[in-house]
Amino acid sequence: MSLTDTEIPSRFLEILKPHLPYAGSDDLAPTDDLAALGLDSMGVVRLLVDLEENYELDLPDELLTEETFATVGSLWATVAGHVGAERVGGE
């Protein structure tokens, strides 16, 4: 499955959107650039805390890279890889 085919759960998007000041009310696509949507370094820290609290996970430091936080899809792929299947969607 390619990044553009990735199904991103609404729960994840609800956590992510408040951290993206330029996202507006548009739907987010897996290929959307997080920096272009307004995610800055302080936003990354706040988003990371929200994701770790909501998904009850602790992302390893080696995954906290520019690549992980590059797009909606790359971030979701990282989170999904560390969350049990029963907690992924939460829908």
Side-chain angles (χ1 to χ4, degrees):
M1 181 180 341
S2 74
L3 191 57
T4 55
D5 296 331
T6 303
E7 180 68 30
I8 299 179
S10 61
R11 176 182 176 199
F12 175 78
L13 296 175
E14 288 169 9
I15 297 165
L16 177 61
K17 258 196 162 176
H19 298 278
L20 305 174
Y22 306 135
S25 61
D26 297 336
D27 288 336
L28 295 173
T31 55
D32 286 346
D33 183 293
L34 293 175
L37 293 172
L39 187 66
D40 59 16
S41 58
M42 283 306 298
V44 165
V45 172
R46 289 189 291 267
L47 173 57
L48 183 61
V49 169
D50 281 353
L51 289 171
E52 289 183 340
E53 287 178 356
N54 278 279
Y55 284 104
E56 299 176 2
L57 58 87
D58 187 15
L59 291 176
D61 289 345
E62 61 268 13
L63 293 178
L64 306 181
T65 65
E66 282 186 40
E67 291 79 20
T68 296
F69 290 89
T71 66
V72 173
S74 64
L75 181 56
W76 170 243
T78 301
V79 171
H82 287 81
V83 174
E86 69 281 356
R87 293 186 300 161
V88 166
E91 302 178 272

